[in-house]
Amino acid sequence: MSLEPDSIRRVSGFGEVQWADGYVFQPETIAEIAPLFDLARAEKRTICLRGAGRSYGDASIDPEQIILDLCNLILVLQWDPESGVITVEPGVTIQQLWQRCLQTGWWPPVVPGTMHVTLGGALAMNIHGKNHFRAGSLGQHVLSLDLLTPDGKTQTISREDELFNSIIGGAGLLGIITKVTLQMHKITSGELDVTALKTVSWAETLAYFDRVAAEVDYLVGWVDMSNPKGHAVIHHANYSPESHPASMQTSAQELPPKIFGFPKAQLWRIMRFVTNPVAVKVLNGIKFALAPKQPKTFRQSLVAFSFLLDYVPNWQKCYRTGFLQFQVFLPKEEALEIFPLIAEMQRSSGFFAYLAVLKRHRPDPFTITWALDGYSLAMDFPVHPASKDALIAFLHEVTDVVLACGGRFYLAKDSTLRPEDIQSYLGQETIDKFQGLKSKHDPENLLQTQLARRVGLI
Ligand SMILES: Cc1cc2nc3c(=O)[nH]c(=O)nc-3n(C[C@H](O)[C@H](O)[C@H](O)COP(=O)(O)OP(=O)(O)OC[C@H]3O[C@@H](n4cnc5c(N)ncnc54)[C@H](O)[C@@H]3O)c2cc1C
């Protein structure tokens, strides 16, 4: 086995701002992985693990290194529809998971805003959903996993093992997750009862979140970051209590093939014409104006509610020269002061987030974690080559504000954190602990990513 020039491919983060040319390997079986460690040693390269490449920044890219793409490892190894326990290979996606389990009344306990992520990638970043405040993160539903380390050995790690909490969220740096056993969530209907309403200020939005959090299964807010008051539209949802087997058929969950009469595959081309500050402000205003003042409840399929961002394939291309996603996590006591401050900072800086999504969170036991008892706001900033450096400088200013109030960040959404930033929110003791595990399980530092070096995790 050798590194052939024709295996060189360009890979990017989902935001299409960071790119890297690497030697891409796509094993069809787990057995094909271990020899790649010897190849890396012989060629003096490192290995960057990659799932579906849905992290926004540089989490699964590394220039001139081996890119180990695990997307073809998609076997369902065991599925028990009685207990809802499923064992899969790491390339199985959230889409494949729900499609396999829904008909027998099971749904993934946690899903992100897109179904096109692999379980290996989702656990390496420890994803959260719109139910994080209630259900926790995906890692909290894993019963055990197999880890293949660069010495070629595979160990099964259960939740009780100390290493477990560092692999979940460990950014693919301690070993390769080659098998996952997950507890699915029992449902009786493929539909949710969804309630929508608008709020006119940050104070009203956060108060509403606090009021309903104990009663709802899912909760999410869209915030108009161009509006000085903080106009928002909130959606919350509960699993439908009725039994409705027809809605649990895969065919009942399909997303519409057309949106506003346009074939959805081509919609991103049209969206390009309205991806500019003036049009986004107008569209935000229309979205807010059309939202109900009083709570309005309707039924929606699990897929339609969960994967709004999958309605338009390739929507990220509407940004032309890419975008940075920047998700800040704030302690609940600070949110009412700091969110409006961040909104004001971005308006006065000239950079404004075209999309901003608010969620409620709770702490978790993982070593490299973004989780806290509070809120997050995920913001999409378009990148223009001429102002990219100024945008990054602005995001560093916001980072300082977030860190000063005890906030955190999420590596899956990051492109700008500096070593001192993650040292500030994780603490040196935690970083030392993680690096100690890294020396033990990967002493030659074979597993690396651009992100891990940038933020000083390795
Ligand atoms: C439209 C959209 C919406 C999103 N919404 C959310 C959301 O609501 N909540 C949320 O939490 N995230 C969200 N994300 C982020 C996404 O869930 C994470 O970035 C996730 O990690 C992507 O999985 P992936 O398979 O694409 O992995 P990649 O992005 O390819 O890799 C992620 C990390 O996993 C490592 N890795 C990959 N496979 C393995 C393996 N088998 N073993 C060990 N390490 C591995 C990689 O080295 C990398 O560090 C969203 C992303 C998009 C594009």
Side-chain angles (χ1 to χ4, degrees), residues 14 49 51-56 59-60 70 90 112-114 117-118 120-121 124-125 127-128 171-172 175 177 309 315 359 410 412-413:
F14 186 76
L49 305 182
R54 254 52 181 195
S55 294
Y56 284 80
S60 56
L70 299 154
T114 171
V117 304
T118 66
M125 286 295 154
I127 62 160
H128 57 265
I177 298 169
L309 291 166
W315 61 265
K359 290 188 197 138
Y410 182 23
K413 308 283 184 84

PDB file of all heavy atoms in Angstrom, residues 14 49 51-56 59-60 70 90 112-114 117-118 120-121 124-125 127-128 171-172 175 177 309 315 359 410 412-413, ligand 1:
ATOM      1  N   PHE A  14     -18.115  22.211   5.916  1.00  0.00           N
ATOM      2  CA  PHE A  14     -19.417  22.501   5.312  1.00  0.00           C
ATOM      3  C   PHE A  14     -19.553  23.985   4.942  1.00  0.00           C
ATOM      4  O   PHE A  14     -20.252  24.330   3.993  1.00  0.00           O
ATOM      5  CB  PHE A  14     -20.535  22.092   6.288  1.00  0.00           C
ATOM      6  CG  PHE A  14     -21.896  22.216   5.704  1.00  0.00           C
ATOM      7  CD1 PHE A  14     -22.356  21.279   4.797  1.00  0.00           C
ATOM      8  CD2 PHE A  14     -22.731  23.278   6.053  1.00  0.00           C
ATOM      9  CE1 PHE A  14     -23.631  21.389   4.240  1.00  0.00           C
ATOM     10  CE2 PHE A  14     -23.993  23.402   5.513  1.00  0.00           C
ATOM     11  CZ  PHE A  14     -24.442  22.457   4.602  1.00  0.00           C
ATOM     12  N   LEU A  49      -9.469  11.789  10.556  1.00  0.00           N
ATOM     13  CA  LEU A  49     -10.716  11.040  10.391  1.00  0.00           C
ATOM     14  C   LEU A  49     -11.793  11.969   9.840  1.00  0.00           C
ATOM     15  O   LEU A  49     -11.863  13.145  10.193  1.00  0.00           O
ATOM     16  CB  LEU A  49     -11.165  10.456  11.727  1.00  0.00           C
ATOM     17  CG  LEU A  49     -10.119   9.588  12.446  1.00  0.00           C
ATOM     18  CD1 LEU A  49     -10.704   9.034  13.734  1.00  0.00           C
ATOM     19  CD2 LEU A  49      -9.635   8.471  11.533  1.00  0.00           C
ATOM     20  N   GLY A  51     -16.078  11.957   8.640  1.00  0.00           N
ATOM     21  CA  GLY A  51     -17.364  11.316   8.429  1.00  0.00           C
ATOM     22  C   GLY A  51     -17.975  11.909   7.173  1.00  0.00           C
ATOM     23  O   GLY A  51     -17.404  11.827   6.081  1.00  0.00           O
ATOM     24  N   ALA A  52     -19.137  12.560   7.323  1.00  0.00           N
ATOM     25  CA  ALA A  52     -19.805  13.139   6.160  1.00  0.00           C
ATOM     26  C   ALA A  52     -19.302  14.549   5.851  1.00  0.00           C
ATOM     27  O   ALA A  52     -19.821  15.200   4.936  1.00  0.00           O
ATOM     28  CB  ALA A  52     -21.311  13.159   6.394  1.00  0.00           C
ATOM     29  N   GLY A  53     -18.330  15.040   6.608  1.00  0.00           N
ATOM     30  CA  GLY A  53     -17.775  16.374   6.346  1.00  0.00           C
ATOM     31  C   GLY A  53     -18.763  17.490   6.640  1.00  0.00           C
ATOM     32  O   GLY A  53     -18.688  18.562   6.056  1.00  0.00           O
ATOM     33  N   ARG A  54     -19.673  17.255   7.595  1.00  0.00           N
ATOM     34  CA  ARG A  54     -20.711  18.264   7.907  1.00  0.00           C
ATOM     35  C   ARG A  54     -20.279  19.221   9.020  1.00  0.00           C
ATOM     36  O   ARG A  54     -21.048  20.125   9.365  1.00  0.00           O
ATOM     37  CB  ARG A  54     -22.014  17.564   8.296  1.00  0.00           C
ATOM     38  CG  ARG A  54     -23.115  17.605   7.260  1.00  0.00           C
ATOM     39  CD  ARG A  54     -22.694  17.146   5.928  1.00  0.00           C
ATOM     40  NE  ARG A  54     -23.784  17.215   4.960  1.00  0.00           N
ATOM     41  CZ  ARG A  54     -23.772  16.605   3.789  1.00  0.00           C
ATOM     42  NH1 ARG A  54     -22.718  15.897   3.425  1.00  0.00           N
ATOM     43  NH2 ARG A  54     -24.777  16.717   2.951  1.00  0.00           N
ATOM     44  N   SER A  55     -19.107  19.038   9.596  1.00  0.00           N
ATOM     45  CA  SER A  55     -18.627  20.071  10.520  1.00  0.00           C
ATOM     46  C   SER A  55     -18.319  21.302   9.695  1.00  0.00           C
ATOM     47  O   SER A  55     -17.812  21.198   8.580  1.00  0.00           O
ATOM     48  CB  SER A  55     -17.382  19.588  11.271  1.00  0.00           C
ATOM     49  OG  SER A  55     -17.732  18.506  12.104  1.00  0.00           O
ATOM     50  N   TYR A  56     -18.600  22.474  10.258  1.00  0.00           N
ATOM     51  CA  TYR A  56     -18.567  23.684   9.436  1.00  0.00           C
ATOM     52  C   TYR A  56     -17.153  24.153   9.094  1.00  0.00           C
ATOM     53  O   TYR A  56     -16.934  24.758   8.059  1.00  0.00           O
ATOM     54  CB  TYR A  56     -19.305  24.819  10.162  1.00  0.00           C
ATOM     55  CG  TYR A  56     -20.806  24.682  10.103  1.00  0.00           C
ATOM     56  CD1 TYR A  56     -21.480  23.815  10.954  1.00  0.00           C
ATOM     57  CD2 TYR A  56     -21.560  25.416   9.191  1.00  0.00           C
ATOM     58  CE1 TYR A  56     -22.853  23.683  10.895  1.00  0.00           C
ATOM     59  CE2 TYR A  56     -22.934  25.295   9.127  1.00  0.00           C
ATOM     60  CZ  TYR A  56     -23.567  24.435   9.981  1.00  0.00           C
ATOM     61  OH  TYR A  56     -24.930  24.312   9.916  1.00  0.00           O
ATOM     62  N   ALA A  59     -12.666  20.688  11.209  1.00  0.00           N
ATOM     63  CA  ALA A  59     -12.628  19.519  12.106  1.00  0.00           C
ATOM     64  C   ALA A  59     -12.258  18.245  11.379  1.00  0.00           C
ATOM     65  O   ALA A  59     -11.722  17.317  11.987  1.00  0.00           O
ATOM     66  CB  ALA A  59     -13.986  19.340  12.793  1.00  0.00           C
ATOM     67  N   SER A  60     -12.548  18.145  10.088  1.00  0.00           N
ATOM     68  CA  SER A  60     -12.265  16.877   9.398  1.00  0.00           C
ATOM     69  C   SER A  60     -11.483  17.110   8.100  1.00  0.00           C
ATOM     70  O   SER A  60     -11.674  16.423   7.115  1.00  0.00           O
ATOM     71  CB  SER A  60     -13.558  16.105   9.137  1.00  0.00           C
ATOM     72  OG  SER A  60     -14.482  16.871   8.409  1.00  0.00           O
ATOM     73  N   LEU A  70     -14.819   7.623   6.497  1.00  0.00           N
ATOM     74  CA  LEU A  70     -15.435   6.400   7.026  1.00  0.00           C
ATOM     75  C   LEU A  70     -16.886   6.218   6.565  1.00  0.00           C
ATOM     76  O   LEU A  70     -17.619   5.390   7.114  1.00  0.00           O
ATOM     77  CB  LEU A  70     -15.328   6.424   8.557  1.00  0.00           C
ATOM     78  CG  LEU A  70     -13.862   6.457   9.022  1.00  0.00           C
ATOM     79  CD1 LEU A  70     -13.719   7.102  10.385  1.00  0.00           C
ATOM     80  CD2 LEU A  70     -13.254   5.068   9.022  1.00  0.00           C
ATOM     81  N   PRO A  90     -19.572   2.959  12.010  1.00  0.00           N
ATOM     82  CA  PRO A  90     -19.536   4.413  12.253  1.00  0.00           C
ATOM     83  C   PRO A  90     -20.004   5.283  11.097  1.00  0.00           C
ATOM     84  O   PRO A  90     -20.311   6.458  11.285  1.00  0.00           O
ATOM     85  CB  PRO A  90     -18.059   4.676  12.536  1.00  0.00           C
ATOM     86  CG  PRO A  90     -17.335   3.595  11.821  1.00  0.00           C
ATOM     87  CD  PRO A  90     -18.215   2.383  11.928  1.00  0.00           C
ATOM     88  N   PRO A 112     -29.273  16.230  14.881  1.00  0.00           N
ATOM     89  CA  PRO A 112     -28.894  17.615  14.579  1.00  0.00           C
ATOM     90  C   PRO A 112     -29.828  18.189  13.511  1.00  0.00           C
ATOM     91  O   PRO A 112     -30.796  17.536  13.116  1.00  0.00           O
ATOM     92  CB  PRO A 112     -27.468  17.463  14.045  1.00  0.00           C
ATOM     93  CG  PRO A 112     -27.449  16.114  13.394  1.00  0.00           C
ATOM     94  CD  PRO A 112     -28.466  15.254  14.114  1.00  0.00           C
ATOM     95  N   GLY A 113     -29.517  19.377  13.017  1.00  0.00           N
ATOM     96  CA  GLY A 113     -30.380  20.036  12.036  1.00  0.00           C
ATOM     97  C   GLY A 113     -30.309  19.427  10.642  1.00  0.00           C
ATOM     98  O   GLY A 113     -31.060  19.828   9.758  1.00  0.00           O
ATOM     99  N   THR A 114     -29.392  18.488  10.420  1.00  0.00           N
ATOM    100  CA  THR A 114     -29.325  17.760   9.160  1.00  0.00           C
ATOM    101  C   THR A 114     -29.233  16.271   9.465  1.00  0.00           C
ATOM    102  O   THR A 114     -28.592  15.884  10.448  1.00  0.00           O
ATOM    103  CB  THR A 114     -28.115  18.186   8.301  1.00  0.00           C
ATOM    104  OG1 THR A 114     -28.007  17.281   7.197  1.00  0.00           O
ATOM    105  CG2 THR A 114     -26.805  18.152   9.082  1.00  0.00           C
ATOM    106  N   VAL A 117     -25.362  13.292   8.708  1.00  0.00           N
ATOM    107  CA  VAL A 117     -24.111  13.176   9.470  1.00  0.00           C
ATOM    108  C   VAL A 117     -23.929  11.717   9.862  1.00  0.00           C
ATOM    109  O   VAL A 117     -24.893  10.988  10.036  1.00  0.00           O
ATOM    110  CB  VAL A 117     -24.098  14.059  10.750  1.00  0.00           C
ATOM    111  CG1 VAL A 117     -24.354  15.512  10.406  1.00  0.00           C
ATOM    112  CG2 VAL A 117     -25.117  13.585  11.768  1.00  0.00           C
ATOM    113  N   THR A 118     -22.676  11.273   9.986  1.00  0.00           N
ATOM    114  CA  THR A 118     -22.421   9.885  10.389  1.00  0.00           C
ATOM    115  C   THR A 118     -22.425   9.790  11.915  1.00  0.00           C
ATOM    116  O   THR A 118     -22.168  10.784  12.617  1.00  0.00           O
ATOM    117  CB  THR A 118     -21.050   9.404   9.887  1.00  0.00           C
ATOM    118  OG1 THR A 118     -20.010  10.157  10.557  1.00  0.00           O
ATOM    119  CG2 THR A 118     -20.907   9.582   8.377  1.00  0.00           C
ATOM    120  N   GLY A 120     -20.217   8.159  13.681  1.00  0.00           N
ATOM    121  CA  GLY A 120     -18.838   8.371  14.157  1.00  0.00           C
ATOM    122  C   GLY A 120     -18.541   9.854  14.314  1.00  0.00           C
ATOM    123  O   GLY A 120     -18.041  10.304  15.349  1.00  0.00           O
ATOM    124  N   GLY A 121     -18.880  10.644  13.287  1.00  0.00           N
ATOM    125  CA  GLY A 121     -18.640  12.090  13.334  1.00  0.00           C
ATOM    126  C   GLY A 121     -19.502  12.764  14.391  1.00  0.00           C
ATOM    127  O   GLY A 121     -19.052  13.671  15.097  1.00  0.00           O
ATOM    128  N   ALA A 124     -17.965  11.986  17.800  1.00  0.00           N
ATOM    129  CA  ALA A 124     -16.670  12.650  17.998  1.00  0.00           C
ATOM    130  C   ALA A 124     -16.870  14.125  18.356  1.00  0.00           C
ATOM    131  O   ALA A 124     -16.019  14.734  18.998  1.00  0.00           O
ATOM    132  CB  ALA A 124     -15.810  12.514  16.751  1.00  0.00           C
ATOM    133  N   MET A 125     -17.995  14.708  17.921  1.00  0.00           N
ATOM    134  CA  MET A 125     -18.293  16.102  18.270  1.00  0.00           C
ATOM    135  C   MET A 125     -19.350  16.186  19.375  1.00  0.00           C
ATOM    136  O   MET A 125     -19.626  17.241  19.903  1.00  0.00           O
ATOM    137  CB  MET A 125     -18.789  16.846  17.027  1.00  0.00           C
ATOM    138  CG  MET A 125     -17.683  17.150  16.048  1.00  0.00           C
ATOM    139  SD  MET A 125     -16.515  18.306  16.792  1.00  0.00           S
ATOM    140  CE  MET A 125     -15.040  17.940  15.904  1.00  0.00           C
ATOM    141  N   ILE A 127     -22.916  15.630  19.315  1.00  0.00           N
ATOM    142  CA  ILE A 127     -23.943  16.553  18.812  1.00  0.00           C
ATOM    143  C   ILE A 127     -25.124  16.707  19.782  1.00  0.00           C
ATOM    144  O   ILE A 127     -25.388  15.834  20.599  1.00  0.00           O
ATOM    145  CB  ILE A 127     -24.473  16.089  17.433  1.00  0.00           C
ATOM    146  CG1 ILE A 127     -25.132  14.704  17.544  1.00  0.00           C
ATOM    147  CG2 ILE A 127     -23.366  16.103  16.392  1.00  0.00           C
ATOM    148  CD1 ILE A 127     -26.063  14.404  16.388  1.00  0.00           C
ATOM    149  N   HIS A 128     -25.804  17.820  19.623  1.00  0.00           N
ATOM    150  CA  HIS A 128     -27.030  18.094  20.384  1.00  0.00           C
ATOM    151  C   HIS A 128     -28.153  18.388  19.409  1.00  0.00           C
ATOM    152  O   HIS A 128     -27.903  18.742  18.253  1.00  0.00           O
ATOM    153  CB  HIS A 128     -26.836  19.298  21.311  1.00  0.00           C
ATOM    154  CG  HIS A 128     -26.423  20.525  20.553  1.00  0.00           C
ATOM    155  ND1 HIS A 128     -25.096  20.892  20.412  1.00  0.00           N
ATOM    156  CD2 HIS A 128     -27.132  21.447  19.874  1.00  0.00           C
ATOM    157  CE1 HIS A 128     -25.025  22.000  19.695  1.00  0.00           C
ATOM    158  NE2 HIS A 128     -26.253  22.358  19.335  1.00  0.00           N
ATOM    159  N   ALA A 171     -13.167  14.625  19.293  1.00  0.00           N
ATOM    160  CA  ALA A 171     -12.752  15.167  17.991  1.00  0.00           C
ATOM    161  C   ALA A 171     -11.904  14.201  17.165  1.00  0.00           C
ATOM    162  O   ALA A 171     -11.072  14.622  16.364  1.00  0.00           O
ATOM    163  CB  ALA A 171     -12.034  16.511  18.176  1.00  0.00           C
ATOM    164  N   GLY A 172     -12.101  12.899  17.388  1.00  0.00           N
ATOM    165  CA  GLY A 172     -11.414  11.903  16.560  1.00  0.00           C
ATOM    166  C   GLY A 172      -9.919  11.846  16.803  1.00  0.00           C
ATOM    167  O   GLY A 172      -9.163  11.454  15.917  1.00  0.00           O
ATOM    168  N   GLY A 175      -8.724   7.803  18.893  1.00  0.00           N
ATOM    169  CA  GLY A 175      -8.869   6.517  18.216  1.00  0.00           C
ATOM    170  C   GLY A 175     -10.057   6.604  17.256  1.00  0.00           C
ATOM    171  O   GLY A 175     -10.752   7.623  17.206  1.00  0.00           O
ATOM    172  N   ILE A 177     -13.667   5.362  16.180  1.00  0.00           N
ATOM    173  CA  ILE A 177     -14.893   4.679  16.619  1.00  0.00           C
ATOM    174  C   ILE A 177     -15.301   3.758  15.470  1.00  0.00           C
ATOM    175  O   ILE A 177     -15.581   4.228  14.360  1.00  0.00           O
ATOM    176  CB  ILE A 177     -16.012   5.699  16.925  1.00  0.00           C
ATOM    177  CG1 ILE A 177     -15.583   6.633  18.068  1.00  0.00           C
ATOM    178  CG2 ILE A 177     -17.322   4.977  17.265  1.00  0.00           C
ATOM    179  CD1 ILE A 177     -16.485   7.841  18.275  1.00  0.00           C
ATOM    180  N   LEU A 309     -33.075  22.220   7.674  1.00  0.00           N
ATOM    181  CA  LEU A 309     -31.963  22.626   6.814  1.00  0.00           C
ATOM    182  C   LEU A 309     -31.735  21.657   5.653  1.00  0.00           C
ATOM    183  O   LEU A 309     -30.970  21.948   4.749  1.00  0.00           O
ATOM    184  CB  LEU A 309     -30.686  22.769   7.652  1.00  0.00           C
ATOM    185  CG  LEU A 309     -30.721  23.948   8.630  1.00  0.00           C
ATOM    186  CD1 LEU A 309     -29.613  23.850   9.660  1.00  0.00           C
ATOM    187  CD2 LEU A 309     -30.621  25.276   7.891  1.00  0.00           C
ATOM    188  N   TRP A 315     -27.724  24.142   0.164  1.00  0.00           N
ATOM    189  CA  TRP A 315     -28.060  25.546   0.464  1.00  0.00           C
ATOM    190  C   TRP A 315     -26.823  26.358   0.817  1.00  0.00           C
ATOM    191  O   TRP A 315     -26.775  27.572   0.618  1.00  0.00           O
ATOM    192  CB  TRP A 315     -29.106  25.654   1.581  1.00  0.00           C
ATOM    193  CG  TRP A 315     -28.676  25.060   2.892  1.00  0.00           C
ATOM    194  CD1 TRP A 315     -28.936  23.810   3.331  1.00  0.00           C
ATOM    195  CD2 TRP A 315     -27.907  25.691   3.932  1.00  0.00           C
ATOM    196  NE1 TRP A 315     -28.377  23.601   4.571  1.00  0.00           N
ATOM    197  CE2 TRP A 315     -27.747  24.739   4.965  1.00  0.00           C
ATOM    198  CE3 TRP A 315     -27.336  26.954   4.108  1.00  0.00           C
ATOM    199  CZ2 TRP A 315     -27.031  25.014   6.142  1.00  0.00           C
ATOM    200  CZ3 TRP A 315     -26.632  27.228   5.274  1.00  0.00           C
ATOM    201  CH2 TRP A 315     -26.494  26.276   6.271  1.00  0.00           C
ATOM    202  N   LYS A 359     -30.974  27.910  21.187  1.00  0.00           N
ATOM    203  CA  LYS A 359     -31.367  26.644  21.822  1.00  0.00           C
ATOM    204  C   LYS A 359     -31.089  26.712  23.325  1.00  0.00           C
ATOM    205  O   LYS A 359     -30.284  27.529  23.786  1.00  0.00           O
ATOM    206  CB  LYS A 359     -30.566  25.476  21.227  1.00  0.00           C
ATOM    207  CG  LYS A 359     -30.931  25.120  19.796  1.00  0.00           C
ATOM    208  CD  LYS A 359     -30.227  23.841  19.371  1.00  0.00           C
ATOM    209  CE  LYS A 359     -30.239  23.675  17.870  1.00  0.00           C
ATOM    210  NZ  LYS A 359     -28.963  23.193  17.354  1.00  0.00           N
ATOM    211  N   TYR A 410     -18.203  25.363  20.526  1.00  0.00           N
ATOM    212  CA  TYR A 410     -18.464  24.021  20.007  1.00  0.00           C
ATOM    213  C   TYR A 410     -17.562  23.789  18.795  1.00  0.00           C
ATOM    214  O   TYR A 410     -17.677  24.494  17.784  1.00  0.00           O
ATOM    215  CB  TYR A 410     -19.946  23.970  19.610  1.00  0.00           C
ATOM    216  CG  TYR A 410     -20.459  22.662  19.078  1.00  0.00           C
ATOM    217  CD1 TYR A 410     -19.829  21.453  19.360  1.00  0.00           C
ATOM    218  CD2 TYR A 410     -21.606  22.633  18.299  1.00  0.00           C
ATOM    219  CE1 TYR A 410     -20.338  20.257  18.874  1.00  0.00           C
ATOM    220  CE2 TYR A 410     -22.127  21.441  17.815  1.00  0.00           C
ATOM    221  CZ  TYR A 410     -21.472  20.263  18.106  1.00  0.00           C
ATOM    222  OH  TYR A 410     -21.973  19.087  17.621  1.00  0.00           O
ATOM    223  N   ALA A 412     -17.447  21.621  16.454  1.00  0.00           N
ATOM    224  CA  ALA A 412     -18.069  21.287  15.159  1.00  0.00           C
ATOM    225  C   ALA A 412     -18.445  22.540  14.371  1.00  0.00           C
ATOM    226  O   ALA A 412     -18.579  22.501  13.153  1.00  0.00           O
ATOM    227  CB  ALA A 412     -19.314  20.436  15.372  1.00  0.00           C
ATOM    228  N   LYS A 413     -18.634  23.648  15.097  1.00  0.00           N
ATOM    229  CA  LYS A 413     -19.095  24.879  14.454  1.00  0.00           C
ATOM    230  C   LYS A 413     -17.990  25.923  14.397  1.00  0.00           C
ATOM    231  O   LYS A 413     -18.257  27.085  14.109  1.00  0.00           O
ATOM    232  CB  LYS A 413     -20.274  25.469  15.252  1.00  0.00           C
ATOM    233  CG  LYS A 413     -21.411  24.511  15.552  1.00  0.00           C
ATOM    234  CD  LYS A 413     -22.291  24.294  14.352  1.00  0.00           C
ATOM    235  CE  LYS A 413     -23.491  23.424  14.658  1.00  0.00           C
ATOM    236  NZ  LYS A 413     -24.616  24.139  15.217  1.00  0.00           N
TER     237      LYS A 413
HETATM  238  C1  LIG B   1     -26.896  21.870   8.178  1.00  0.00           C
HETATM  239  C2  LIG B   1     -26.202  21.441   9.442  1.00  0.00           C
HETATM  240  C3  LIG B   1     -26.902  21.456  10.634  1.00  0.00           C
HETATM  241  C4  LIG B   1     -26.270  21.047  11.820  1.00  0.00           C
HETATM  242  N1  LIG B   1     -26.979  21.074  12.982  1.00  0.00           N
HETATM  243  C5  LIG B   1     -26.386  20.672  14.129  1.00  0.00           C
HETATM  244  C6  LIG B   1     -27.115  20.635  15.356  1.00  0.00           C
HETATM  245  O1  LIG B   1     -28.288  20.972  15.402  1.00  0.00           O
HETATM  246  N2  LIG B   1     -26.468  20.190  16.458  1.00  0.00           N
HETATM  247  C7  LIG B   1     -25.168  19.776  16.432  1.00  0.00           C
HETATM  248  O2  LIG B   1     -24.642  19.369  17.467  1.00  0.00           O
HETATM  249  N3  LIG B   1     -24.447  19.808  15.286  1.00  0.00           N
HETATM  250  C8  LIG B   1     -25.034  20.242  14.145  1.00  0.00           C
HETATM  251  N4  LIG B   1     -24.314  20.260  12.986  1.00  0.00           N
HETATM  252  C9  LIG B   1     -22.904  19.852  13.035  1.00  0.00           C
HETATM  253  C10 LIG B   1     -22.743  18.347  12.790  1.00  0.00           C
HETATM  254  O3  LIG B   1     -23.740  17.605  13.461  1.00  0.00           O
HETATM  255  C11 LIG B   1     -21.394  17.902  13.327  1.00  0.00           C
HETATM  256  O4  LIG B   1     -20.381  18.660  12.751  1.00  0.00           O
HETATM  257  C12 LIG B   1     -21.083  16.429  13.097  1.00  0.00           C
HETATM  258  O5  LIG B   1     -19.902  16.113  13.773  1.00  0.00           O
HETATM  259  C13 LIG B   1     -20.927  16.119  11.611  1.00  0.00           C
HETATM  260  O6  LIG B   1     -20.761  14.716  11.421  1.00  0.00           O
HETATM  261  P1  LIG B   1     -19.941  14.181  10.168  1.00  0.00           P
HETATM  262  O7  LIG B   1     -20.271  12.759   9.985  1.00  0.00           O
HETATM  263  O8  LIG B   1     -20.161  15.078   9.018  1.00  0.00           O
HETATM  264  O9  LIG B   1     -18.453  14.287  10.707  1.00  0.00           O
HETATM  265  P2  LIG B   1     -17.239  15.185  10.176  1.00  0.00           P
HETATM  266  O10 LIG B   1     -17.651  16.606  10.194  1.00  0.00           O
HETATM  267  O11 LIG B   1     -16.699  14.620   8.937  1.00  0.00           O
HETATM  268  O12 LIG B   1     -16.202  14.928  11.364  1.00  0.00           O
HETATM  269  C14 LIG B   1     -16.453  15.460  12.649  1.00  0.00           C
HETATM  270  C15 LIG B   1     -15.365  14.975  13.620  1.00  0.00           C
HETATM  271  O13 LIG B   1     -15.515  13.584  13.820  1.00  0.00           O
HETATM  272  C16 LIG B   1     -14.262  12.909  13.639  1.00  0.00           C
HETATM  273  N5  LIG B   1     -14.646  11.571  13.204  1.00  0.00           N
HETATM  274  C17 LIG B   1     -15.353  11.238  12.099  1.00  0.00           C
HETATM  275  N6  LIG B   1     -15.587   9.914  12.086  1.00  0.00           N
HETATM  276  C18 LIG B   1     -15.022   9.395  13.212  1.00  0.00           C
HETATM  277  C19 LIG B   1     -14.942   8.095  13.769  1.00  0.00           C
HETATM  278  N7  LIG B   1     -15.496   7.035  13.197  1.00  0.00           N
HETATM  279  N8  LIG B   1     -14.277   7.936  14.926  1.00  0.00           N
HETATM  280  C20 LIG B   1     -13.729   8.990  15.564  1.00  0.00           C
HETATM  281  N9  LIG B   1     -13.787  10.246  15.090  1.00  0.00           N
HETATM  282  C21 LIG B   1     -14.432  10.448  13.927  1.00  0.00           C
HETATM  283  C22 LIG B   1     -13.518  13.787  12.652  1.00  0.00           C
HETATM  284  O14 LIG B   1     -12.130  13.634  12.741  1.00  0.00           O
HETATM  285  C23 LIG B   1     -13.950  15.182  13.105  1.00  0.00           C
HETATM  286  O15 LIG B   1     -13.142  15.603  14.170  1.00  0.00           O
HETATM  287  C24 LIG B   1     -24.910  20.633  11.791  1.00  0.00           C
HETATM  288  C25 LIG B   1     -24.211  20.622  10.593  1.00  0.00           C
HETATM  289  C26 LIG B   1     -24.846  21.019   9.423  1.00  0.00           C
HETATM  290  C27 LIG B   1     -24.085  21.011   8.140  1.00  0.00           C
END
